[in-house]
Amino acid sequence: MDLDIALILTQDGITSGAVYALLALALVLVFSVTRVIFIPQGEFVAYGALTMAMLQQGKVPGTLWLLVAMGVCVAALDLFRVLRGASSDGLASSLGWSLGYPLLLAALVNFLPASDSLLVQAALTLAIVVPTGPLLYRLAFQPVAESPVLVLLIVSVAIHVSMVGLGLLFFGAEGARTQPFLDAQFALGSVSLSGQQVWVLLASAGLIVALWLFFGRSLYGKALRATALNRNGARLMGFSPVFAGKLTFLLAAFIGVLSGILIAPVTTIYYDTGFLIGLKGFVAAIIGGLASFPVAAGGALLVGILESFSSFWASAYKEVFVFTLIIPVLVWRSLTSHHIEEDE
Amino acid sequence: MNTTRSAAALPLPAAAPAGIFCARNIVLGFVALLAFAPAVLPEFYVTLLNYIGLAAMVALGLVLLTGVGGLTSFGQAAFVGVGAYTTAVLTTSANLPGWIAWASSPWLALLVGLALTALIAVILGSLTLRLSGHYLPLGTIAWGISLYFMFGAMESLGGHSGLSGIPPISVFGWTLDEGREIFYLIWAFLLLAVLTTQNLLDSREGRAIRALKGGQVMAESMGVDTSRARMIIFVIAALHAATSGWLFAHLQRFVNPTPFGVHVGIEYLFMAVVGGAGQVWGAIAGAGVITILKQWLQDWLPAIFGTAGNFEVIVFGLMMVLVLHRAKDGLWPLFARLVPAAAPLRKIDAAAKPLPRKPMPPAGEVILEAKNVTRKFGGLVANNEMSLSVKAGEILALIGPNGAGKSTMFNQLSGVDTPTSGEVLFRGQSIAGKDSRAIARLGMSRSFQHVRLLPKMSVLENVAIGAHLRGSQGVIPAAWRLDRAEEARLLREAALQVERVGLGEFMHAEAGSLALGQQRILEIARALASDPCLLLLDEPAAGLRLKEKQALGDLLRRLRGEGMAILLVEHDMDFVMGLVDRVVVMEFGQKIAEGLPEEVQKNPAVLEAYLGGVE
């Protein structure tokens, strides 16, 4: 291996590392606010990429019907509650979001002419897939929100399994790539960067800064941090944990879908690719102890670089290396943490 | 309180109640049906039953791991793969290296596979089992994926196309080369596994495993080595999986990596949860439901959707979510309700030989002594230069207003926490750096401020956990019922302690069904079962009614009369003043008074601490 190859590998590693960093941030966020280990995070990446690809082919993506179906379920649950005597305050707005929005979007996608603009397609992809995040929280996690982490994890894995099956149904077994946002090549000394790589890096950096501002400066961001520290305390201060859960899932879905849109032009995405991508985000998140954002982001870069170098040296063992990395990390975690008892 | 129903929820074998529908007859009937199944059922159903049996064996391991022990693994399929690949390699390679060539028969390959699996499980377990709750399952996903990709990547294992030509198993010259024949072997292994697992759970070691769910501090302070208990169930679950893999390889006569991926591992966990993760028979129920459903869905869903694919996972995922929302104990309790099998009451053998007791130290000997104990948390000094001592045949009360540092002091004395400076001597030995088990072995036992019982276990069994260190039979004798003599002695001792604290009428009731005050008393019985010379009681009278307090007071007086040293942390002044010999009063982490109850009651510093001063 010479320096050029090393540079190219590093650069590849940093690009994928940037995406893993985004996912790791989403995973840390979801875990700290809701205690859910969000295995389906990767499915949002795949759904985002493949929805975008279908829109580019001028087809109506199945994710749209998923959104409608989930909206109908939530509306039915809300109506049922009101019929059983719960207060009907806020019913109109919740029905508007769960029924009105998906149906309106379905009408838009079906009856308006398909747009060639990448930005419109990306916006549409976000509009279709991201709202399934909070709907998912409402349907799957809100009813068991107080359960032990283990139960939430099993629910999470069950959702992942279902979403992979649905992905196969919606998108078929064929992989897809989307058109790049930027076709240019940049030369940086002896290294050449593709436009899409620059996009990925810039967008990831931008998103990280935006999240930092959100959590540091905005009231909702601070309220989420408060919920992560102490759920009951935040509830007493008038910040509903249900709302916190939905908001967190909205953010996680947004980060997932955006990552999918970013990497779809660089890698071929299949309906089940999301799992491995998401798990690499996990390896990074675990390096950060499922708590620290900066360490998780650093871990993500490490995972990306390890992956690109091992695919050069021993490509058959690429995944073995990445997932075996977690074991020394876990050992290190177990040696450095000294808690006595996890009181439920 | 319906003791019969509650006991039915426990994963215990039935003894022999009257009636034709007793659990033993139902099991015998089930076995008889199984024996005739291959003779009458069409090939297709025999095959289905074979796969149910194989899956149930893996799910059974998960029942032990997840339902009983509270640990979870998504990586069991990888262990199935280790079992399957080991036998595939050993029985198909023509030119094995000499040192392993002896293992080319399937039966020897099974032994090698089990040994290899145990080795891998011990390594993975020692790396991941120490981690708290959610890291373990994440770790299992990671190594599940790693092992799966290894199977696919290694040339010697045939890569992704796999290994074929695996010979059938022979039993005493009978070659099991048809599904109908290996059926008997699969189900014999499975029923044996169910039987031994049930036996194990109903034993000293089994109680230790079940105590894992009650929290580490409780189990450790009763002398249970929790890391060992976790490792035991992890290895047992892995061995079950590897055995299933061995049978699978010889049934299929071919292996490739696909059935050992992490998604198959997830399916095994679904089986355990759907069946009812706390129930031994739930493993078979869950494996049956999921395997049959999978068969149907694989026929129907592609026809409905008009394309081929593994769409059954959509339904499985949604089903899991529904089960976890609506029926957390899985489907087995629903099946069990259909057959009103009377549950056993545990027999207590009054004639069993009593357990040996340690001699009590002579009255007046200093049992526990704290010397200038200081505990700092960062800048906060929770205990400052605290000294106290407890003698044999004496009750000492540690009192003080809220936030005085009593609980921190209690943790220093019981060895849960280590002082920043100063030392705690128990019978002359420093307990600094000793683990809770070693301290329990020396004869210190305790109760907890927030009651730590296993609510689903009977009063008797909860108390028997306390006697853990007074038995020695391990996993294998327990699985094969070679431990019954010792078990009878342990249960007799537990029953004596239950009677002694006055809970005899609740002997077989679920601990969780008792009132809070009775649960506190139950904790004292559990502590007594360890044959201690020192009892540390954390607010034993909280939540007790007047009569119960009087009974508790009488009990403690009797224990004192027998030479027991007792230290209690308490809020209830009436209770303390009428009972104890000496009082130590704490405020702001320091001792402000010590002496006879009457003296302390008149001490101005104490009055100030409690009443805000007397002007």
Side-chain angles (χ1 to χ4, degrees), chain B residues 9-85:
Chain B
L10 294 173
L12 295 176
I20 196 159
F21 280 120
C22 72
R24 175 178 288 169
N25 287 352
I26 293 170
V27 172
L28 287 178
F30 178 65
V31 172
L33 280 181
L34 277 177
F36 287 110
V40 292
L41 288 178
E43 187 72 36
F44 171 78
Y45 290 102
V46 176
T47 309
L48 204 57
L49 280 174
N50 281 341
Y51 284 109
I52 291 175
L54 290 175
M57 188 128 39
V58 186
L60 179 64
L62 282 172
V63 162
L64 193 61
L65 199 60
T66 305
V68 180
L71 308 170
T72 298
S73 164
F74 294 102
Q76 292 309 101
F79 287 128
V80 180
V82 173
Y85 267 103

Side-chain angles (χ1 to χ4, degrees), chain A residues 37 139-140 144 147 150 153-154 157-158 160-162 169 275 279 289 317 323-324 326-327 331 334-335 341 343, chain B residues 72 74 127 130-131 134-135 137 142 145-146 154 216-217 262-263 266 305 313-314 317-318 320 325 328 452:
Chain A
I37 295 181
L139 290 173
V144 286
S147 303
L150 205 61
L153 172 63
I154 299 177
V157 168
H160 149 74
V161 165
S162 278
L169 183 63
F275 184 50
L279 281 184
Y317 290 92
F323 289 107
T324 311
I326 202 175
I327 296 206
V331 173
S334 79
L335 291 179
E341 173 95 333
D343 258 321
Chain B
T72 298
F74 294 102
L127 292 176
R130 286 153 41 95
L131 296 166
H134 46 276
Y135 283 113
I145 291 180
S146 288
M154 282 172 72
Q216 209 169 319
V217 170
V262 85
H263 280 106
I266 291 173
F305 293 139
V313 292
I314 304 175
L318 298 180
M320 276 299 289
H325 282 192
K328 277 197 182 144
R452 290 201 172 129

